[in-house]
Amino acid sequence: MADNVTSLFRTGAHSPSMAALARESGEAGPVDFCIPCNPYFPSPRMMDELTNRLRDIITYYPSSADTITAELCNLLQLPPQCVAMGNGSTELITWIDHLLVRESLAIPVPTFGRWTDQPLETGKRVDMFPLQESNGFALDPAQYIQFIRSRGTRAAVICNPNNPDGGFLPKQTILAFCDALADLDLIVIDESFLEFADAENEPSIVEEAVMRPNVIVLRSLGKNFGLHGVRFGYMVANPGLAGRIRSMLPKWNLNAFAETVVFMLKDYGAEYAESLHMVRRDRLDMARQLSMLPGLTVYPSQGNFLFVRLPVGAEGTVVRDRLLTEHRILVRECGNKIGSSSRFVRLVVRPQEDVRRLVVGLESVLYGTSTRRGAAVSELNQGAGYSSGTAAVDRLVGSTNGQGYPGLAGAANGMVQQPQPPQIPQQPQQPAQLPQQPQQPARLPQQPPQPQPLVAAANGMVGQPQPLTAAQTRGTTGMPGGLTAVAAPGQPQGFPQQGFPQQGFPQQPEAMPQPQPVPQQQPGGWPNTPGASNGAGWPAAGGVNRVG
């Protein structure tokens, strides 16, 4: 049964659904540290109301998407002409790619897989800008801009915060980035996880996006509201861009659950605001507890998740499988994310009681003993056998045994085009350089190895750290075919402190709709339209970011 459950992770780019895990295991779902959902919303009171209305919700047609969108815009104080709602942000990404990405798209990696896979599936060139592990996966906007210019890319994406590492850029930095690339066909700022950020009081650029000819802001609702299964999200842009996407969406692309939740939200604003506060609090506590485990590296995050590097010798796929089968804990192993490796996992922020259970499970799997036979470290030169969901990416991973091209990161940063070693200090680049390590333990069948902790040396226990696998040393994946990268001319000089010089808004391509005038605002200026919220926006709680 355990093997059947873990086999579900080898069938695609994303983790299996909770329903699939429950069907295969015949048990209730595990403690979920994988799906980045708000664990504190809906509140019990709101969930009870949804339960009482379930029969009507699943029996009758929903209202049209325009009706649901109008209610959301009234709640968020956004002009309906500037908003398009989708059946999850993935539906909007799909139509953005089909309608507005003409030939090429740039995206920092690692990131959300649909931003790399979707354009590849429609024959676009995807220019992937590698975030450096040595720099904590932080995005340098100046280097990214130089990379975009050197490639001649026509569309650019920034996820803020980024998934899976939680990296964050301040609002003024994002606006300066947009101004510097005002001549591109399209810029998308994916703010799907921005509600969980607390680095700024007002980090979103939705108000500024409607005034720019080529900027789209993407927002999620399912992640914020703890309702991934409802499938709803929205985008904000100038009326021309928003209208073009909206015109392609089906009349009933939003279901009755989405309609019910949107119309209920005005009564649960205070509870939603409190849920965000609790997630931010728990993020700090969870990072502190994980950082105390020997050999674990926890990267700073502004999302509702933490990006964690496992200790040397730990194979993420084995850690994931053993946490699931031995401790009923589900985590997101990131070996099939381009720009990451199997040494990294993403852990969703959860209540402290669940985190204590996670810590106990990690201590057992990484440092302790287990009744399960076999060490939790892959054999040498054994890459992770996963599908990214994209044939071109799979061919790359297969042809390089998951290691990619070492010189890519240096080329992207304008360095000399010499192959660079993986960003893992003091580790052998080639496992073959460790002859003292037995590469074929199976040659001694009469004495099968006893289970060993993943990181015996980390806490002074007996045992040698295992050599890194190819998947662990993969780092940034190379760029064959449609995935290309070249060296930027010269070393970037750093991101300007006062923003970029305005480059104007040149004539847009015919495929790009011209910006239309934003609807006339009420006295006091949009979005602070008077109403039940007294112009404060929803939720009207001090120090809490607007949903919009």
Side-chain angles (χ1 to χ4, degrees):
M1 182 67 69
D3 290 338
N4 291 340
V5 172
T6 57
S7 68
L8 294 174
F9 292 89
R10 296 165 175 82
T11 59
H14 298 282
S15 299
S17 69
M18 196 64 67
L21 289 173
R23 285 194 300 269
E24 197 63 45
S25 67
E27 301 175 0
V31 178
D32 181 18
F33 283 90
C34 177
I35 307 302
C37 238
N38 184 344
Y40 297 114
F41 198 80
S43 64
R45 182 171 70 95
M46 182 175 176
M47 191 62 74
D48 287 344
E49 183 176 349
L50 283 170
T51 302
N52 293 335
R53 299 169 65 175
L54 178 62
R55 179 178 293 277
D56 287 345
I57 291 173
I58 64 177
T59 299
Y60 301 110
Y61 264 110
S63 301
S64 68
D66 288 343
T67 299
I68 303 172
T69 301
E71 175 64 16
L72 181 71
C73 290
N74 181 62
L75 189 70
L76 305 182
Q77 302 177 351
L78 293 170
Q81 298 91 330
C82 297
V83 176
M85 286 191 71
N87 190 264
S89 59
T90 300
E91 181 178 47
L92 297 173
I93 291 173
T94 300
W95 281 111
I96 288 170
D97 171 57
H98 279 290
L99 298 177
L100 304 178
V101 179
R102 294 191 300 169
E103 60 181 45
S104 56
L105 179 141
I107 179 73
V109 293
T111 193
F112 178 48
R114 292 314 300 165
W115 281 121
T116 56
D117 298 351
Q118 173 61 42
L120 283 172
E121 292 167 4
T122 54
K124 315 293 172 48
R125 189 185 82 230
V126 178
D127 297 330
M128 301 185 188
F129 180 76
L131 301 176
Q132 299 301 301
E133 178 185 344
S134 59
N135 195 34
F137 296 96
L139 174 62
D140 185 321
Q143 292 185 2
Y144 186 33
I145 290 171
Q146 193 165 0
F147 174 80
I148 292 168
R149 293 301 189 191
S150 70
R151 295 296 301 129
T153 317
R154 297 307 307 159
V157 178
I158 287 181
C159 296
N160 195 40
N162 189 41
N163 172 15
D165 57 272
F168 172 84
L169 292 176
K171 177 177 181 177
Q172 291 306 315
T173 302
I174 293 290
L175 292 175
F177 175 86
C178 295
D179 291 341
L181 298 174
D183 58 310
L184 295 191
D185 295 345
L186 182 68
I187 298 171
V188 179
I189 307 300
D190 188 339
E191 296 183 350
S192 292
F193 294 98
L194 195 63
E195 288 295 291
F196 301 106
D198 58 4
E200 289 184 321
N201 288 333
E202 293 289 340
S204 178
I205 67 161
V206 290
E207 297 181 21
E208 291 78 9
V210 301
M211 304 301 296
R212 285 168 163 76
N214 66 338
V215 176
I216 289 176
V217 173
L218 196 66
R219 301 299 300 261
S220 170
L221 294 174
K223 300 176 181 66
N224 303 339
F225 299 148
L227 294 168
H228 264 298
V230 173
R231 306 303 303 143
F232 54 169
Y234 66 100
M235 56 161 280
V236 182
N238 71 66
L241 284 178
R244 186 166 183 187
I245 298 295
R246 196 168 52 244
S247 68
M248 300 301 296
L249 298 173
K251 186 176 183 64
W252 284 290
N253 70 317
L254 302 174
N255 58 57
F257 265 111
E259 177 181 18
T260 302
V261 171
V262 168
F263 276 83
M264 289 173 63
L265 288 175
K266 60 180 176 291
D267 298 325
Y268 294 93
E271 296 174 23
Y272 173 67
E274 178 62 18
S275 76
L276 296 179
H277 171 75
M278 296 169 71
V279 169
R280 295 162 184 161
R281 176 204 65 195
D282 288 349
R283 179 173 60 208
L284 292 174
D285 181 75
M286 181 173 169
R288 179 187 60 80
Q289 292 195 52
L290 292 174
S291 297
M292 295 174 64
L293 295 178
L296 247 66
T297 301
V298 180
Y299 294 91
S301 173
Q302 283 287 293
N304 63 328
F305 47 81
L306 297 172
F307 198 46
V308 176
R309 184 180 66 190
L310 298 172
V312 173
E315 171 65 44
T317 57
V318 181
V319 172
R320 177 203 63 206
D321 291 352
R322 287 185 55 182
L323 283 174
L324 179 60
T325 58
E326 298 173 18
H327 300 275
R328 300 298 297 162
I329 294 172
L330 178 63
V331 302
R332 176 58 160 99
E333 180 268 330
C334 294
N336 62 355
K337 278 188 173 290
I338 300 174
S340 179
S341 78
S342 191
R343 196 179 168 191
F344 294 89
V345 294
R346 186 192 67 197
L347 303 173
V348 173
V349 174
R350 291 194 60 83
Q352 296 177 8
E353 179 180 356
D354 292 341
V355 174
R356 286 192 292 270
R357 178 173 172 178
L358 172 67
V359 170
V360 170
L362 286 172
E363 288 176 336
S364 172
V365 171
L366 292 175
Y367 318 113
T369 59
S370 172
T371 57
R372 180 171 175 170
R373 300 185 62 83
V377 180
S378 295
E379 296 180 4
L380 292 174
N381 301 322
Q382 185 180 26
Y386 297 109
S387 166
S388 68
T390 303
V393 177
D394 293 342
R395 286 195 298 271
L396 168 66
V397 175
S399 64
T400 64
N401 196 27
Q403 295 188 56
Y405 299 116
L408 174 64
N413 288 307
M415 300 169 61
V416 293
Q417 296 185 355
Q418 296 293 329
Q420 301 296 320
Q423 296 288 334
I424 303 178
Q426 301 179 359
Q427 298 304 317
Q429 186 171 354
Q430 297 296 331
Q433 295 177 0
L434 295 176
Q436 68 276 16
Q437 297 293 335
Q439 297 191 19
Q440 300 295 334
R443 295 177 181 175
L444 300 173
Q446 68 278 15
Q447 294 181 355
Q450 295 300 313
Q452 295 292 329
L454 288 182
V455 195
N459 58 3
M461 297 178 63
V462 178
Q464 296 295 325
Q466 298 297 315
L468 298 179
T469 66
Q472 288 172 300
T473 59
R474 181 166 80 227
T476 302
T477 307
M479 306 294 178
L483 299 96
T484 56
V486 298
Q491 192 69 16
Q493 299 301 315
F495 199 66
Q497 298 298 318
Q498 302 300 325
F500 293 99
Q502 293 289 336
Q503 299 186 14
F505 298 101
Q507 180 67 34
Q508 299 295 310
E510 293 183 1
M512 177 66 63
Q514 295 298 311
Q516 301 177 15
V518 177
Q520 185 67 36
Q521 307 305 323
Q522 298 293 328
W526 176 81
N528 293 324
T529 47
S533 64
N534 297 320
W538 180 87
V544 177
N545 302 329
R546 264 205 321 269
V547 174

